């Protein structure tokens, strides 16, 4: 019976996951037994004797790692020293002998310690992209899929070895002796991984992609860097920018018939071993897939709903083509932007770290500066303000150098202006208001100069509007409300002009919405409730439209949540005379509804991002909603007390009860009609019984 050894590494906090993983493999072994195959799981609790030894116990674990076929590491809130040591032992062994295969899984949690983040970055630098799992079922599903791939590449008994069923194309004639020799060697009794290596040699000998026409070679070249999974035909047509669909489908069918691809209905797949052969024989590199990488870059910059379907393809490409290249760096940068927009900040950090490495090695200074900006933004979103400051300072330093070397370049001057804005924002977050004001003023000064020199530029006008917003924010923080109002009004005027000239631009629409929010805040601070309400309603309206067209964007969802909160706070601030009971009741119900929307969006944001900052906001939203709900019952209690005591005082006792009954009947309840009717009838019956017995 053949055996596959899996070494399972993790810290003590994941004991439950290790036990369940062992059980998962135990269940899988039941079916593998019939195939004379057994999977052994080695875990540190019970697989190696801890008897007295001249060497430390960890050395025994390390020897077991070197002898295993698969190494699996699990992480949650921390990355322990021993687990990291075990990973490096596995990595060193893999470099020497191409085994064990290494898999890393990170449990999705909001409470990651610095050790986990540091190890994630280390993996990114190595070009190894870990997998995130939600729970044990998700872990078993994801590893199970990898295990099935591994099992299809292994056979339990050498005598039962089955060769891949591949039609023998015409151009293979003449290589029969070579294949016969490989066939004979494959029959020998050898370990599974050695057999796998020989299978690779078998395919290497049988396939000769260089003898195909140029179009088919291009298709194979692209397939070799895609995931080894079924890819829908519709996705392939988009990925390959197909012009002649009939010819493309004919080429795919031909490659399927020749054994290069497998097919299922409207999807195609290239096996991982075949990918390796094509990659090697066609010499896949940055240059001969450059056109395709350009297509992927365009796709990843499109609407999130489109980019979502192609993210895994782009991720596979940047992993498989690892040579330093600015184009690959840009694809990583666009991936980072995508992951940021959908709230997957760990993946965003991994991608932008790779982009930064490519730009640094290629000495692409402008894009290196851009990557520093993105690194700062992601660390700021993660709440790591000191790291964000470090990267924003690097961003500013590079932009200064670039601008001073070419002061007439509009793009470089605008980049320097943006870098000042980033430094201002981070100093504001650190509570250093004077420093923030200094940088925001530098931002506005450069933006004014740029816009005055090129007033037709939409981008420069947008930058000037943002600079006014930042100055408005800082003056508001300093308590200088009149100055803040002045800057916010300038901002709104510019964004109105921009949006009216280009109403289909979502970025400009977003800018206008935020500018309305700023005016709403300042009028609220001035006690002008009606004006504030008007601007908050405009903010909410635009944000609903933006979010509806792009529901995967977490930033838009965040702004929509804020808009509901601001509306709730201003509606709550309305002054209504105490005797207008119905108006008070309706106001309270409106506040409850607005805060309920706010709470729901906050909860969804936390579920998506798993960030501590969103968790805290979700908990606060629940409290705000509960308080509003409790306050909504106050008018009922007040009206009942007025009716009851007024009736007792001015009328007789029985008339007082009837007055309360009348109040119950006419008072509006925000419930379905049948429910309202049932509640009111029950209250009147109860009131009547009390009056009767009274």
């Amino acid at each position: 019976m053949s055996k596959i050894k899996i070494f399972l590494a993790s810290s003590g906090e994941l004991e439950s996951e290790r036990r369940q993983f062992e059980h998962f493999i135990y269940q899988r072994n039941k079916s593998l037994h019939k195939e004379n195959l057994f999977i052994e799981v080695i875990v540190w609790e019970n697989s190696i004797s801890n008897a007295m030894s001249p060497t430390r116990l960890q050395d025994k674990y390390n020897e077991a790692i070197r002898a295993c076929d698969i190494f699996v590491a699990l992480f949650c809130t921390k990355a322990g020293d021993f687990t990291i040591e075990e990973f490096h032992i596995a990595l060193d062994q893999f470099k020497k002998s191409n085994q064990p295969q290494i898999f890393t899984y990170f449990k999705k949690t909001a409470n990651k310690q610095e050790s986990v983040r540091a190890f994630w970055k280390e993996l990114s630098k190595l070009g190894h992209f870990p997998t995130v799992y939600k729970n044990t079922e998700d872990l078993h599903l994801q590893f199970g899929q990898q295990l099935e791939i591994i099992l299809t590449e292994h056979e339990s008994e050498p005598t039962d070895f089955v060769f891949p069923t591949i039609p023998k194309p015409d151009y293979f004639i003449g290589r029969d002796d070579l294949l016969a020799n490989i066939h004979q060697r494959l029959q020998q009794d050898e370990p599974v991984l050695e057999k796998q290596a020989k299978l690779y040699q078998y395919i290497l000998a049988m396939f000769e992609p260089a003898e195909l026409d140029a179009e088919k070679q291009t298709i194979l070249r692209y397939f070799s860097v895609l995931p080894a999974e079924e890819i829908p035909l519709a996705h392939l047509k988009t990925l390959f920018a197909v012009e002649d669909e009939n010819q493309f489908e004919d080429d795919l069918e031909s490659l399927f018939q020749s054994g290069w691809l497998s097919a299922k209905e409207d999807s195609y797949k290239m096996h991982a071993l075949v990918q390796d052969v094509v990659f090697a024989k066609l010499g896949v590199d940055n240059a001969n897939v450059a056109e395709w990488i350009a297509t992927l870059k365009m796709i990843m910059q499109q609407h999130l709903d489109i980019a979502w379907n192609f993210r895994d393809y782009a991720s596979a490409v940047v992993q498989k083509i690892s040579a330093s290249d600015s184009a690959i760096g840009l694809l990583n940068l666009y991936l980072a932007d995508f992951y940021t927009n959908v709230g997957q900040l760990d993946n965003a950090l991994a991608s932008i770290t790779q982009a930064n490495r490519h730009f640094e090695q290629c000495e692409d200074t402008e894009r290196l500066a851009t990557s520093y900006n993105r690194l700062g933004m992601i660390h700021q979103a993660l709440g790591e303000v000191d790291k964000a400051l470090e990267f924003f300072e690097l961003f500013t330093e590079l932009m200064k150098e670039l601008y001073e070397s070419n002061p007439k370049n509009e793009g470089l001057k605008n980049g320097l202006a943006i870098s000042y804005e980033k430094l201002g924002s981070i100093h504001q977050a650190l509570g250093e208001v004077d420093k923030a004001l200094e940088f925001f003023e530098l931002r506005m000064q450069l933006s004014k100069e740029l816009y005055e020199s090129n007033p037709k530029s939409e981008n420069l006008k947008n930058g000037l509007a943002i600079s006014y917003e930042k100055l408005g924010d800082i003056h508001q923080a300093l308590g200088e409300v009149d100055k803040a109002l002045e800057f916010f009004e300038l901002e709104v005027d510019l964004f109105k002009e921009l949006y009216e000239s280009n109403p289909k631009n979502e970025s400009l629409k977003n800018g206008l919405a935020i500018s309305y929010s700023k005016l709403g805040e300042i009028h609220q601070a001035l006690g002008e409730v009606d004006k504030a309400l008007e601007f908050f309603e405009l903010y909410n309206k635009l944000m609903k439209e933006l979010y509806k067209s792009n529901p995967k964007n977490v930033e838009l969802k965040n702004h929509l949540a804020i808009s509901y909160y601001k509306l709730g706070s201003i509606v709550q601030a309305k002054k209504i005379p105490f005797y207008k009971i119905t108006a008070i009741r309706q106001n309270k119900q409106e506040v409850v509804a607005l805060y309920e929307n706010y709470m729901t969006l906050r909860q969804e944001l936390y579920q998506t991002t798993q960030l501590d900052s969103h968790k805290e906001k979700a908990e606060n939203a629940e409290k705000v909603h509960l308080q509003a709900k409790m306050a909504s019952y106050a008018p009922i209690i007040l009206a009942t007390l007025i009716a009851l005591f007024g009736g007792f005082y001015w009328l007789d006792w029985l008339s007082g009860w009837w007055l309360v009954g009348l109040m119950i009947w006419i008072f509006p309840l925000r419930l379905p009609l049948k429910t309202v009717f049932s509640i009111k009838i029950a209250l009147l019956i109860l009131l009547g019984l009390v009056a009767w017995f009274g």
Side-chain angles (χ1 to χ4, degrees):
M1 178 174 286
S2 186
K3 182 187 288 187
I4 297 175
K5 292 182 178 180
I6 299 177
F7 190 97
L8 182 60
S10 72
S11 59
E13 64 178 334
L14 291 172
E15 181 182 356
S16 174
E17 270 86 346
R18 288 196 298 277
R19 295 301 179 207
Q20 292 182 60
F21 188 91
E22 284 186 280
H23 182 71
F24 167 69
I25 297 298
Y26 168 75
Q27 294 294 331
R28 190 70 186 87
N29 273 329
K30 288 182 180 179
S31 58
L32 292 175
H33 180 75
K34 298 174 184 177
E35 302 172 28
N36 290 319
L37 183 61
F38 177 75
I39 302 174
E40 178 186 0
V41 180
I42 302 167
V43 293
W44 57 268
E45 288 100 336
N46 54 18
S47 298
I48 298 171
S49 170
N50 61 358
M52 186 67 74
S53 169
T55 60
R56 64 181 187 139
L57 190 59
Q58 184 62 40
D59 292 335
K60 293 184 179 180
Y61 298 140
N62 295 345
E63 284 304 315
I65 292 166
R66 293 185 184 97
C68 72
D69 301 300
I70 301 168
F71 176 83
V72 178
L74 309 180
F75 300 92
C76 186
T77 64
K78 61 184 179 181
D81 292 340
F82 288 129
T83 308
I84 293 173
E85 179 183 339
E86 289 162 356
F87 170 81
H88 285 293
I89 293 293
L91 182 62
D92 290 342
Q93 185 64 31
F94 176 80
K95 289 175 179 177
K96 292 174 186 174
S97 62
N98 212 31
Q99 71 171 43
Q101 294 188 53
I102 299 172
F103 299 93
T104 55
Y105 295 92
F106 286 71
K107 189 170 185 178
K108 194 170 185 178
T109 177
N111 303 313
K112 292 187 180 73
Q113 294 181 13
E114 181 56 32
S115 60
V116 170
R117 297 195 189 282
F119 186 59
W120 184 289
K121 289 177 191 174
E122 182 185 346
L123 292 177
S124 300
K125 289 177 182 176
L126 291 168
H128 175 86
F129 284 78
T131 303
V132 177
Y133 70 97
K134 298 175 184 176
N135 47 43
T136 51
E137 291 77 13
D138 189 31
L139 171 64
H140 297 166
L141 174 65
Q142 296 199 58
F143 180 72
Q145 291 171 345
Q146 294 296 328
L147 185 61
E148 290 307 312
I149 293 170
I150 293 167
L151 291 174
T152 58
E153 296 168 358
H154 293 71
E155 291 296 334
S156 58
E157 294 291 342
T159 53
D160 296 333
F161 187 83
V162 178
F163 289 94
T165 306
I166 303 170
K168 191 172 178 183
D170 294 339
Y171 56 72
F172 188 73
I173 295 170
R175 300 194 186 105
D176 295 76
D177 292 341
L178 175 62
L179 271 185
N181 178 261
I182 294 170
H183 186 287
Q184 184 178 3
R185 289 168 61 197
L186 282 167
Q187 301 305 315
Q188 297 169 7
D189 187 3
E190 292 175 327
V192 170
L193 285 172
E194 289 181 28
K195 189 175 291 296
Q196 182 183 355
K198 288 184 178 178
L199 176 59
Y200 172 73
Q201 293 298 323
Y202 172 82
I203 296 174
L204 195 66
M206 184 159 187
F207 286 100
E208 191 50 69
E211 298 179 20
L212 295 166
D213 64 54
E215 288 297 322
K216 290 189 179 72
Q217 282 189 40
T218 299
I219 292 172
L220 291 180
R221 195 177 286 117
Y222 293 171
F223 259 104
S224 73
V225 291
L226 285 169
E229 60 188 34
E230 301 291 339
I231 301 175
L233 179 60
H235 287 187
L236 291 171
K237 288 177 180 178
T238 303
L239 281 167
F240 294 4
V242 173
E243 293 179 2
D244 187 339
E245 293 191 6
N246 291 331
Q247 182 60 52
F248 181 68
E249 290 179 26
D250 288 346
D251 286 342
L252 288 175
E253 184 62 23
S254 173
L255 291 169
F256 163 63
Q257 293 297 334
S258 300
W260 295 99
L261 304 174
S262 62
K264 280 185 181 177
E265 296 181 359
D266 290 333
S267 65
Y268 290 86
K269 170 186 174 181
M270 181 180 281
H271 192 279
L273 285 176
V274 179
Q275 283 185 325
D276 291 343
V277 170
V278 171
F279 194 92
K281 287 207 168 188
L282 288 181
V284 178
D285 57 25
N286 308 54
N288 56 31
V289 293
E291 189 178 334
W292 186 47
I293 290 168
T295 302
L296 269 173
K297 286 191 293 184
M298 286 191 292
I299 292 170
M300 292 312 299
Q301 292 177 83
Q302 291 185 34
H303 195 282
L304 282 182
D305 285 339
I306 297 171
W308 183 271
N309 294 323
F310 294 87
R311 68 196 189 283
D312 291 339
Y313 309 140
S315 182
V317 170
V318 296
Q319 288 180 56
K320 291 185 179 181
I321 303 176
S322 56
S324 296
D325 184 82
S326 281
I328 294 293
L330 269 177
L331 184 53
N332 268 301
L333 188 143
Y334 297 143
L335 265 171
D337 287 346
F338 167 80
Y339 286 129
T340 300
N341 287 331
V342 298
Q344 297 178 17
L345 294 182
D346 285 336
N347 286 336
L349 186 58
S351 293
I352 198 61
T353 302
Q354 288 285 18
N356 179 266
R357 178 179 65 83
H358 281 286
F359 297 144
E360 191 171 18
Q361 291 176 356
C362 294
E363 297 182 353
D364 189 339
T365 313
E366 282 189 45
R367 286 168 178 162
L368 180 62
T370 303
S371 70
Y372 284 140
N373 178 29
R374 295 296 203 282
L375 279 162
M377 291 165 67
I378 293 168
H379 281 294
Q380 188 173 9
L382 288 166
E384 299 167 350
V385 185
D386 292 335
K387 283 187 177 178
L389 177 59
E390 179 186 337
F391 284 114
F392 286 143
E393 285 175 341
L394 287 168
F395 175 37
T396 303
E397 185 183 326
L398 269 186
M399 290 313 304
K400 270 186 182 176
E401 290 175 12
L402 287 163
Y403 174 59
E404 286 168 4
S405 67
N406 189 0
K408 292 183 179 179
N409 188 303
E410 185 182 88
L412 296 178
K413 189 173 184 177
N414 190 46
L416 179 59
I418 291 168
S419 75
Y420 286 142
E421 176 199 318
K422 298 298 183 183
L423 280 176
S425 296
I426 210 72
H427 282 294
Q428 187 176 5
L430 288 165
E432 299 167 352
V433 184
D434 292 334
K435 277 189 177 180
L437 179 59
E438 180 187 340
F439 284 116
F440 287 146
E441 284 175 341
L442 286 169
R443 159 60 148 148
M444 187 189 70
Q445 181 186 333
L446 291 180
S447 296
K448 255 189 177 178
E449 291 172 10
L450 283 161
Y451 177 58
E452 286 168 2
S453 67
N454 187 3
K456 291 183 179 179
S457 170
E458 186 180 89
N459 185 45
L460 297 179
K461 194 173 187 177
N462 181 61
L464 181 58
I466 291 170
S467 75
Y468 287 145
E469 178 195 320
K470 296 300 178 184
L471 279 170
D473 281 338
I474 207 71
H475 283 295
Q476 187 177 5
L478 288 165
E480 298 167 351
V481 182
D482 292 334
K483 276 190 176 180
L485 178 59
E486 181 185 340
F487 283 117
F488 288 144
E489 285 176 340
L490 287 168
E491 178 199 7
V492 167
D493 289 342
L494 288 179
F495 270 122
K496 268 186 180 177
E497 292 172 14
L498 284 163
Y499 179 59
E500 285 167 6
S501 66
N502 190 359
K504 291 184 178 179
N505 187 310
E506 289 191 345
S507 176
L508 298 178
K509 190 174 186 176
N510 186 47
L512 179 60
I514 293 170
S515 70
Y516 284 142
S517 167
K518 298 297 180 182
L519 274 180
E521 286 175 13
I522 214 73
H523 283 295
Q524 186 174 17
L526 290 166
E528 298 168 351
V529 176
D530 291 336
K531 277 190 176 180
L533 178 60
E534 178 188 343
F535 287 117
F536 286 148
E537 283 175 340
L538 287 169
Y539 175 41
N540 178 259
K541 176 178 177 290
L542 292 181
M543 277 303 162
K544 279 197 283 191
E545 291 172 5
L546 283 163
Y547 178 63
K548 186 178 179 181
S549 67
N550 207 344
K552 287 187 171 70
N553 190 306
V554 293
E555 187 62 26
L556 292 178
K557 181 179 272 192
N558 183 54
H559 273 295
L560 181 58
I562 292 169
S563 75
Y564 279 121
Y565 175 76
K566 290 184 183 298
L567 270 177
S569 66
I570 205 67
V571 170
Q572 201 169 28
K574 278 185 177 181
K575 292 181 179 178
I576 304 171
F578 75 93
Y579 53 84
K580 292 188 176 180
I581 305 296
T582 302
I584 293 172
R585 174 66 174 158
Q586 289 172 343
N587 174 270
K588 300 291 184 186
Q589 289 173 341
E590 186 180 356
V591 170
V592 170
L594 290 167
Y595 282 148
E596 187 173 350
N597 287 333
Y598 169 61
M599 177 186 69
T600 302
L601 289 167
R602 281 288 176 216
Q603 290 170 338
E604 289 175 3
L605 279 164
Y606 173 61
Q607 288 168 3
T608 301
T609 63
Q610 291 293 303
L611 291 174
D612 289 342
S613 56
H614 282 299
K615 181 181 181 181
E616 186 179 338
K617 288 172 184 174
E619 290 170 351
N620 287 336
E622 288 171 11
K623 291 176 185 175
V624 168
H625 176 249
L626 180 61
Q627 288 167 359
K629 204 169 183 181
M630 291 175 69
S632 70
Y633 296 118
I636 298 177
I637 298 167
L638 180 62
T640 304
L641 290 173
I642 290 170
L644 188 60
F645 288 108
F648 287 163
Y649 185 79
W650 284 296
L651 305 170
D652 57 70
W653 185 83
L654 189 60
S655 298
W657 283 109
W658 282 112
L659 190 56
V660 172
L662 183 63
M663 291 296 298
I664 290 171
W665 185 254
I666 65 171
F667 204 89
L669 290 175
R670 195 164 174 248
L671 294 165
L673 189 61
K674 286 184 179 180
T675 308
V676 170
F677 186 75
S678 302
I679 290 171
K680 291 184 175 183
I681 290 295
L683 286 171
L684 288 174
I685 291 170
L686 181 63
L687 187 65
L689 290 170
V690 172
W692 176 263
F693 287 108

